């Protein structure tokens, strides 16, 4: 499992209990959690295949830079990743 797999699993569990998410989204979360429980990686169940929208990634990195609760290490990493995009 990756370093943030607990966060990913927690997000999928929250999605299952969110009244504002679609049934398709809940089904995907259920599949990811089921795969993780059966010893598979959480990445293996991703329907995007690891391809992420670069604009969304850049937006998340920019948000990290302006987040007062983010550590200096996280901000430095975000700055470097933005520079590589």
């Amino acid at each position: 499992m990756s370093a943030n797999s607990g966060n990913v699993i927690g997000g999928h569990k929250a999605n299952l209990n969110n009244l504002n998410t679609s049934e398709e989204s809940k089904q995907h979360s259920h599949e990811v959690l089921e795969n993780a429980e059966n010893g598979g990686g959480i990445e293996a169940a991703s329907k995007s295949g690891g391809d992420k929208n670069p604009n969304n990634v850049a937006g998340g990195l920019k948000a990290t830079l302006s987040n007062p609760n983010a550590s200096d290490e996280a901000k430095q990493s975000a700055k470097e990743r933005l520079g590589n995009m």
Side-chain angles (χ1 to χ4, degrees):
M1 285 193 169
S2 67
N4 70 346
S5 60
N7 292 343
V8 173
I9 289 172
H12 284 290
K13 287 180 179 179
N15 186 48
L16 292 175
N17 294 310
N18 187 337
L19 300 175
N20 296 318
T21 58
S22 68
E23 287 303 315
E24 180 182 70
S25 175
K26 289 180 182 187
Q27 180 60 34
H28 173 68
S29 289
H30 179 73
E31 291 169 7
V32 170
L33 291 170
E34 199 170 75
N35 189 45
E37 288 175 3
N38 292 329
I42 53 173
E43 296 84 10
S46 174
K47 68 180 179 181
S48 67
D51 295 332
K52 296 183 179 182
N53 182 327
N55 292 330
N56 288 353
V57 172
L61 294 171
K62 289 177 184 177
T64 299
L65 292 175
S66 63
N67 183 345
N69 296 321
S71 68
D72 289 337
E73 292 84 14
K75 289 181 180 184
Q76 182 61 37
S77 174
K79 188 175 185 178
E80 290 171 6
R81 289 179 59 196
L82 273 170
N84 292 333
M85 290 183 83

